[in-house]
Amino acid sequence: MSVVKINVVTMPEDKRARFEERFKGRAGAVETTPGFEWFELLRPVAGTDSYLVYTRWSSQEAYEAWQTSQDFDRAHDGGGDTLAPAAERSQQHVWSYEVVESAGPKSS
């Protein structure tokens, strides 16, 4: 059963462009991690100032292996990137879910 991790990151208006730029310039190491299934960065449009960083994993163990990896550390310290501090003073929470049901487009 897949698991979903959603990082909720409250970002001040004046830091949003920098925050998004950091994600655009990320190394992409998570995509080659065993058990990784999906990533999305969701920008707030109305009703909130929180970004959602959505990742989906084949198992809790796969997610935990990513969290304890050197690639995770490099991804989250910015690798020396000057954009890394964009989220350091923001409020962050992690929501965890198990996928109970899922659907995609039906083929014709």
Side-chain angles (χ1 to χ4, degrees):
M1 178 179 306
S2 294
V3 296
V4 170
K5 300 296 179 177
I6 301 171
N7 290 295
V8 182
V9 184
T10 302
M11 186 60 53
E13 186 75 38
D14 64 330
K15 302 267 188 197
R16 288 183 181 184
R18 189 174 185 190
F19 180 73
E20 290 181 23
E21 188 63 30
R22 178 170 183 243
F23 274 92
K24 287 178 186 170
R26 64 192 181 82
V30 70
E31 286 95 327
T32 60
T33 302
F36 171 79
E37 296 180 352
W38 201 259
F39 161 84
E40 290 180 313
L41 174 62
L42 306 176
R43 176 191 298 140
V45 177
T48 185
D49 58 354
S50 295
Y51 281 81
L52 300 180
V53 183
Y54 173 100
T55 57
R56 183 171 166 154
W57 300 87
S58 62
S59 67
Q60 179 66 28
E61 293 76 20
Y63 172 73
E64 289 171 2
W66 160 247
Q67 272 200 308
T68 59
S69 72
Q70 289 181 346
D71 285 337
F72 177 90
D73 289 341
R74 279 192 290 275
H76 291 84
D77 74 7
D81 188 330
T82 58
L83 297 173
E88 73 183 13
R89 294 198 214 305
S90 64
Q91 183 178 5
Q92 298 184 50
H93 303 283
V94 178
W95 297 339
S96 299
Y97 295 87
E98 290 181 338
V99 177
V100 176
E101 188 173 340
S102 177
K106 293 186 179 185
S107 58
S108 303

